[in-house]
Amino acid sequence: MGVDTSRRQLLRACAGTLLSGLAFIERGRAQERGFVPLTERVSLLAVGGTNVVALPTGDGLVLVDSGSPELVTQLMGAVKQLQEVATVFNTHWHVENTGANEVLGLSGATIIAHVNTRLWMATPTWIPAEDRYRPPRPLKAQPNRTFRVDGSMTAAGERIDYGYLLEAHTSGDIYVFFRDSNVLAVGDVASPVRDPELDYFTGAWIGGRADALDRLVALSNDRTRIVPGYGPVMTREQLQAERDMMKTIYDRTVDRVREGADADDMLKAGVLNGLPRAWKDPRKFLYDVQKGLWAHHNKLSPNVV
């Protein structure tokens, strides 16, 4: 082996060691800024209140969701230490997950969401729990690119697929799948620690939730990192367990609602008994189950009008 060849190999080895060291330092700095690495490329941003997924690219960050309104300053401070945001996906319209949308829209970011998410953001929406209408979001906070079924893009060599989850948590839920990194962001369609929310007023129902979880389980594998809108990262096994629980609840409630049972009736009948988790507010959940089932009355029986 010649001297020049040996020198080139040594230089390559030194360069590899240096790059590995810089990557390690950068990961340490990222964690200090609130970025929790999920893979070598995709991170979870832990300062937004609700989960924000981030992928750095040559053109700027790709985000999934934009955190809670009260934490916009912290979120944007953390983000801007790395890159400007080029693209943000909204998994649904709720303000807890889209708090920094206006700031990002004003800075020129592309905001991608299902067409129904943009409609709910652009429309005064009744908030039953607060007995009031929520005013429309500012125009710059609304998605500026929408889709109906699914889509795909590539950023920094990462294939990003996204698709509609019909009536699972709202009528505009989507997933965002970082295919090459095997990270699947699912918004509030999965809820590992909070009571699962069925926003029946904007289209969700228990059957839609179970169907959406079926689709997410089919998309994932045993190595997929599944990121809910709030709470810890999930495994496929945990996602499957939540799907099975939702299907059990559907089976226990659909006939009772068809026969006229309300939330109190179902609570007394024990439809939530024996499940692998407890509810903080079981009556509210069953109220939402009942309302959602009646909104989809054609699913109860062809004779229910």
Side-chain angles (χ1 to χ4, degrees):
M1 182 180 295
V3 174
D4 289 342
T5 301
S6 298
R7 184 176 297 164
R8 283 196 297 271
Q9 289 177 339
L10 177 62
L11 288 172
R12 280 197 294 268
C14 290
T17 301
L18 176 61
L19 289 173
S20 296
L22 289 173
F24 178 80
I25 292 169
E26 184 56 36
R27 285 197 295 274
R29 288 174 180 166
Q31 286 180 286
E32 290 175 4
R33 297 174 186 136
F35 283 83
V36 179
L38 298 175
T39 70
E40 286 295 316
R41 292 196 283 184
V42 180
S43 295
L44 177 64
L45 186 51
V47 297
T50 50
N51 289 331
V52 176
V53 178
L55 170 73
T57 78
D59 298 320
L61 284 173
V62 175
L63 299 183
V64 179
D65 286 335
S66 64
S68 302
E70 67 275 13
L71 294 172
V72 169
T73 300
Q74 294 92 317
L75 176 70
M76 295 310 299
V79 163
K80 287 180 178 178
Q81 291 183 65
L82 292 181
Q83 285 183 303
E84 294 295 322
V85 176
T87 304
V88 57
F89 288 90
N90 289 162
T91 58
H92 60 290
W93 68 269
H94 288 163
V95 68
E96 294 83 3
N97 304 79
T98 59
N101 265 33
E102 186 174 7
V103 172
L104 295 170
L106 288 168
S107 71
T110 299
I111 304 175
I112 302 174
H114 190 266
V115 63
N116 287 346
T117 289
R118 186 190 65 79
L119 290 173
W120 288 120
M121 286 189 181
T123 304
T125 306
W126 181 250
I127 309 296
E130 300 175 17
D131 196 32
R132 68 176 181 89
Y133 277 98
R134 176 197 55 79
R137 298 285 292 278
L139 183 61
K140 283 295 185 179
Q142 298 173 25
N144 49 41
R145 182 184 299 175
T146 60
F147 68 97
R148 291 187 178 276
V149 181
D150 54 36
S152 185
M153 61 181 282
T154 301
E158 179 82 35
R159 178 182 167 189
I160 305 171
D161 294 339
Y162 48 94
Y164 185 34
L165 298 169
L166 181 64
E167 298 170 335
H169 169 63
T170 69
S171 65
D173 302 291
I174 67 169
Y175 67 84
V176 182
F177 195 4
F178 298 86
R179 283 266 181 193
D180 299 291
S181 296
N182 204 8
V183 173
L184 178 60
V186 302
D188 283 342
V189 173
S191 188
V193 293
R194 297 194 295 196
D195 287 359
E197 182 183 0
L198 299 171
D199 188 344
Y200 67 87
F201 200 82
T202 62
W205 71 297
I206 187 71
R209 183 98 174 191
D211 288 345
L213 287 166
D214 262 338
R215 185 176 187 191
L216 294 173
V217 168
L219 279 170
S220 61
N221 61 39
D222 291 341
R223 296 177 300 281
T224 307
R225 310 297 300 278
I226 298 158
V227 184
Y230 181 86
V233 175
M234 304 172 70
T235 64
R236 186 176 191 263
E237 183 180 7
Q238 290 169 327
L239 190 71
Q240 178 72 56
E242 184 161 335
R243 178 268 170 204
D244 293 346
M245 183 176 64
M246 289 295 112
K247 181 60 167 60
T248 297
I249 295 169
Y250 172 84
D251 291 341
R252 291 179 179 181
T253 58
V254 62
D255 286 339
R256 292 181 182 276
V257 170
R258 179 174 57 80
E259 293 163 2
D262 62 15
D264 290 324
D265 295 329
M266 291 189 287
L267 193 59
K268 291 175 184 174
V271 298
L272 298 181
N273 292 353
L275 297 174
R277 67 187 291 177
W279 265 249
K280 294 178 181 176
D281 192 344
R283 187 189 181 282
K284 179 186 183 304
F285 175 74
L286 288 175
Y287 180 86
D288 294 348
V289 168
Q290 183 215 19
K291 287 288 188 178
L293 279 166
W294 274 115
H296 293 79
H297 58 80
N298 61 316
K299 313 294 195 307
L300 299 176
S301 168
N303 298 319
V304 176
V305 295

